[in-house]
Amino acid sequence: MSKHKLAYELASTLNDTESIKAYEDFTERYAEGFLRKVLAKVMSIPDRKIKKTRGALFTYLVNQNGRQHYSRD
């Protein structure tokens, strides 16, 4: 999958298309498998447990756990 398509998929799924640039940056930096794993985790959390937005939680988790998942492309 192209990095742009993946970024759009992430932004759409998280209902955060206004932050598409951030997701494009993530797809440039991190492996697709890692991003999909974080996305699945974020989407599995009930709405009532999300303090801000799913996009904010996704960004937090990527930034906290991403160092060992840099893209090798």
Side-chain angles (χ1 to χ4, degrees):
M1 174 176 279
S2 78
K3 291 183 186 297
H4 181 73
K5 281 185 180 181
L6 177 57
Y8 184 77
E9 180 184 332
L10 294 171
S12 295
T13 302
L14 293 164
N15 197 25
D16 193 21
T17 54
E18 64 272 7
S19 301
I20 188 72
K21 180 70 175 115
Y23 298 104
E24 288 175 344
D25 290 346
F26 288 150
T27 62
E28 289 297 323
R29 245 184 291 168
Y30 302 107
E32 180 177 347
F34 166 69
L35 294 173
R36 289 192 178 281
K37 190 174 180 180
V38 174
L39 179 64
K41 180 178 178 83
V42 168
M43 296 310 293
S44 73
I45 296 171
D47 286 341
R48 69 183 184 281
K49 296 214 173 189
I50 304 290
K51 291 184 179 180
K52 292 184 181 179
T53 65
R54 289 187 189 278
L57 179 58
F58 179 86
T59 298
Y60 173 79
L61 291 173
V62 168
N63 287 331
Q64 288 297 306
N65 302 298
R67 279 192 206 123
Q68 64 270 27
H69 298 280
Y70 285 119
S71 176
R72 291 174 178 48
D73 295 346

